[in-house]
Amino acid sequence: MTELTVVSGGLREPSSTRLLADRLAASAATHLSQLGLSVNTRIVELRPLARSIADAMTLGFANAELEEAYETVASADGLIAVTPAFNASYGGLFKSFFDVLPEESLTDMPVLIGATGGTERHSLVLEHALRPLFSYLRAVVSPTGVYAATEDFGVTSDQPPLDDRVDRAGADFARLLSSCGQRVRRSAFDEEAARMERLLNP
Amino acid sequence: MSAMQFGIFTVGDVTPDPTTGRAPTEHERIMATVAIAEKAEEVGLDVFATGEHHNPPFVCSSPTTLLGYLAARTNRLVFSTSTTLITTNDPVKIAEDFSVLQHLSGGRVDVMLGRGNTGPVYPWFGEDIRQAVPLTVEKYALLRRLWREEVVDWEGQFRTPLHGFTLAPQPLDGVPPFVWHGSIRTPEIAELAAFHGDGFFANHIFWPASHTERMVQFYRRRFEHYGHGTAAQAIVGLGGQVFMRRNSQDAVDEFRPYFDVAPVYGHGPSLEEFSEQTPLTVGSPQQVVEKTLGFKEYVGDYQRQLFLVDHAGLPLKTVLEQLDLLGEVVATLRVEMEKDRPADVPDAPTHDSLLAASRKDTEDD
């Protein structure tokens, strides 16, 4: 079973960010099943975790609810991460979640990035903000991300239809995820302890 | 002395009282610390430990000066630190300071080493925080030799070499102070403590119980791995944090304004949430007894329990009242903690117990 985790940083209800996240998840699942992989998808909505995330920032540790979200992300085989674009970047809540997420949680993790915004003029937020963030966290970012503007959800867009872009992103991500193979989780705790053992027993 | 030691540890902070806006002067804070330590002995506690910081708003830059003065004003209390910075202090100076303190206090001293997490402190003392781990390993290895070998020849990466160096004075009765290693977060310190067969002190108060459990159980496993005894025989200490009134609602009402703006955890979760997630207990003495007895459910039978009682701007008068209540709590805890304690779990190490052990070793040889 391939575990797919979706992180959605939308703040409104209903949320176009969640809408895009669901479409990307469905597309990825379809393409993964075509490659012979069965998929279990879990969603982490950040809005209900907003206070827990702020508390974790001031305090240094997570409450049980946020700890569960950490585990849902870190135990996945692949991640779909979608945020609204605010002020030329990802949303603050979205960034904050990845700031408090324990180290090594995303190492070697295939990630499909997505973003939403009021106009398509912000579409490069994917390349200038999300891709470097996940590269820094040592994730393997899928080459094709999807940006959806408000008008993509209507019929008047002169872009290739959103469904086509979602389908292509899902296909590319499925191919990446299946080629990466079984993901081995890394543990900062075990690695720190092992490093100390080597120093003490040269 | 019972199997376990109970005491208090201070970070030595000068924090304004949020209910009045008034901060004590540095002098007032230092003299308050003296009054608190004297009170700790009066109410029957075993241990007083002071932190070490080299920047405002703290007044505890010179722990052995404070502890030497306190040793002269007390008869029974054991002094420790929380923590002594092994990364930025010179191990030769640590060995000298604690050796003298041992002699002055009649052996009523041990030391808790930590690496310190204030970045700028490292360059002030010529060190680099990125080297914190190798600094800790090298400097502690030297400190152990200084306390154990009469003539030390040593060369390392982080200190000028020593050739033909002899520590003066030598440790009291030839027995070095017991060493604890204190950690908030990292398993590296647990590994270090286990490797040397030293005590491991989990700060405990800023983290959830699950984290402390994992760290302590890791230390216990590694203590056994390195052949110092069984996992259950490893030497464990825990922090705790309490505020008490006879009526538990009075405790909550009085402590809340201090909690809400406290350094480190203020402006975050509510007092109730924080109490649920961490060892903080705000309530009646009976509630403190119950919660503290729960600690050994996840760390096993242990040797030392220290409480934080004097931070966040609490006035001296209040802290002294807390100590009166803590004295009662500890009297109960001493009895309750002994129940079902296996015979092979060691008592808290003291100078006398270490001296007896070293004499036994000599006879055995």
Side-chain angles (χ1 to χ4, degrees):
Chain A
M1 183 70 73
T2 300
E3 296 291 338
L4 207 55
T5 292
V6 180
V7 171
S8 172
L11 296 178
R12 303 283 160 253
E13 184 69 41
S15 152
S16 58
T17 299
R18 174 62 189 272
L19 210 59
L20 176 60
D22 286 345
R23 287 189 188 204
L24 289 169
S27 168
T30 303
H31 287 283
L32 283 164
S33 69
Q34 283 166 9
L35 296 169
L37 297 168
S38 56
V39 178
N40 181 43
T41 305
R42 290 174 295 176
I43 308 277
V44 176
E45 276 280 5
L46 298 184
R47 190 183 190 286
L49 294 171
R51 262 205 60 203
S52 304
I53 291 169
D55 286 349
M57 290 194 130
T58 55
L59 211 53
F61 69 84
N63 62 20
E65 217 179 351
L66 183 57
E67 197 73 56
E68 196 187 318
Y70 288 172
E71 183 57 27
T72 306
V73 170
S75 65
D77 298 305
L79 178 71
I80 296 174
V82 189
T83 176
F86 290 158
N87 295 331
S89 190
Y90 25 62
L93 179 62
F94 181 86
K95 175 62 158 55
S96 296
F97 176 73
F98 290 103
D99 283 350
V100 293
L101 186 70
E103 274 179 70
E104 308 288 2
S105 295
L106 295 182
T107 302
D108 295 337
M109 175 88 76
V111 176
L112 169 55
I113 52 177
T116 58
T119 107
E120 66 206 34
R121 280 190 291 274
H122 299 295
S123 61
L124 280 172
V125 70
L126 289 174
E127 306 308 324
H128 287 287
L130 274 84
R131 189 176 299 279
L133 169 67
F134 289 105
S135 293
Y136 178 81
L137 295 171
R138 302 202 195 95
V140 187
V141 189
S142 188
T144 314
V146 175
Y147 179 88
T150 305
E151 65 175 2
D152 280 312
F153 295 100
V155 289
T156 56
S157 175
D158 54 4
Q159 300 292 314
L162 180 61
D163 283 349
D164 291 0
R165 277 144 49 213
V166 166
D167 182 63
R168 184 179 154 188
D172 288 356
F173 181 58
R175 199 161 62 87
L176 172 70
L177 205 156
S178 63
S179 339
C180 283
Q182 187 82 42
R183 180 171 174 259
V184 180
R185 272 180 79 175
R186 291 176 59 174
S187 153
F189 186 99
D190 294 343
E191 286 178 20
E192 281 177 23
R195 196 161 56 230
M196 190 56 143
E197 184 181 2
R198 284 195 300 275
L199 265 177
L200 290 166
N201 303 275
Chain B
M1 175 109 27
S2 53
M4 269 187 76
Q5 292 174 330
F6 296 90
I8 52 174
F9 62 147
T10 178
V11 281
D13 59 316
V14 178
T15 303
D17 181 334
T19 65
T20 63
R22 186 183 176 278
T25 65
E26 290 178 326
H27 181 71
E28 285 168 343
R29 180 63 172 104
I30 290 170
M31 297 323 289
T33 307
V34 171
I36 289 166
E38 289 175 348
K39 183 75 173 179
E41 173 159 289
E42 180 196 318
V43 302
L45 302 188
D46 307 310
V47 181
F48 174 87
T50 176
E52 176 186 335
H53 290 279
H54 296 274
N55 47 310
F58 303 101
V59 293
C60 52
S61 53
S62 181
T64 53
T65 308
L66 172 68
L67 297 182
Y69 181 80
L70 292 175
R73 297 174 66 94
T74 51
N75 298 306
R76 213 182 40 77
L77 206 56
V78 172
F79 297 100
S80 189
T81 50
S82 55
T83 59
T84 291
L85 305 179
I86 186 66
T87 46
T88 47
N89 282 302
D90 179 6
V92 172
K93 196 74 180 84
I94 295 176
E96 291 172 341
D97 285 346
F98 280 86
S99 208
V100 171
L101 186 55
Q102 262 195 322
H103 284 273
L104 289 172
S105 65
R108 290 185 289 131
V109 59
D110 54 52
V111 57
M112 194 201 302
L113 300 176
R115 73 171 68 151
N117 55 8
T118 311
V121 174
Y122 286 76
W124 293 335
F125 291 90
E127 304 294 1
D128 180 343
I129 194 168
R130 291 167 300 178
Q131 296 294 321
V133 176
L135 275 166
T136 302
V137 171
E138 179 178 302
K139 288 189 169 187
Y140 181 53
L142 173 57
L143 179 60
R144 285 180 69 85
R145 290 188 57 195
L146 292 166
W147 271 334
R148 285 170 175 80
E149 296 172 25
E150 205 169 317
V151 182
V152 174
D153 293 313
W154 178 90
E155 285 187 28
Q157 194 188 338
F158 298 110
R159 191 197 187 283
T160 198
L162 296 170
H163 293 292
F165 181 86
T166 295
L167 175 68
Q170 288 284 295
L172 178 66
D173 304 319
V175 176
F178 185 77
V179 174
W180 296 85
H181 298 270
S183 170
I184 297 178
R185 191 196 66 79
T186 172
E188 287 160 342
I189 297 302
E191 174 75 12
L192 179 69
F195 178 80
H196 290 291
D198 296 332
F200 176 67
F201 184 90
N203 166 286
H204 200 198
I205 62 180
F206 299 130
W207 285 77
S210 57
H211 172 82
T212 300
E213 175 177 9
R214 186 181 186 195
M215 293 278 273
V216 171
Q217 299 307 347
F218 172 75
Y219 158 70
R220 288 187 182 282
R221 268 200 317 280
R222 300 298 291 171
F223 183 92
E224 183 167 311
H225 168 83
Y226 284 116
H228 301 295
T230 66
Q233 290 168 335
I235 306 296
V236 172
L238 288 186
Q241 189 185 2
V242 295
F243 188 88
M244 291 172 280
R245 289 297 179 197
R246 296 271 172 225
N247 177 332
S248 72
Q249 192 56 47
D250 291 345
V252 171
D253 293 343
E254 186 177 343
F255 190 61
R256 193 185 300 281
Y258 295 91
F259 175 89
D260 284 348
V261 299
V264 183
Y265 54 72
H267 308 284
S270 69
L271 190 155
E272 286 75 10
E273 289 165 332
F274 195 75
S275 301
E276 195 185 300
Q277 292 162 23
T278 76
L280 173 66
T281 321
V282 181
S284 67
Q286 184 53 34
Q287 286 173 301
V288 170
V289 167
E290 281 162 21
K291 184 138 175 179
T292 309
L293 285 173
F295 296 168
K296 72 172 177 177
E297 304 294 324
Y298 55 88
V299 301
D301 289 285
Y302 61 112
Q303 281 71 25
R304 176 175 280 186
Q305 175 64 54
L306 301 183
F307 295 98
L308 177 65
V309 293
D310 70 335
H311 72 312
L314 288 165
L316 176 61
K317 178 173 172 291
T318 305
V319 175
L320 298 178
E321 289 163 3
Q322 290 302 304
L323 287 168
D324 277 323
L325 294 168
L326 191 58
E328 296 173 24
V329 163
V330 163
T332 309
L333 285 175
R334 277 190 208 286
V335 177
E336 294 297 321
M337 287 283 197
E338 302 266 336
K339 288 183 184 163
D340 307 322
R341 191 178 173 98
D344 67 334
V345 170
D347 291 354
T350 61
H351 182 74
D352 288 344
S353 74
L354 296 173
L355 179 59
S358 83
R359 285 195 173 135
K360 187 166 177 302
D361 283 351
T362 317
E363 284 162 19
D364 291 349
D365 293 343

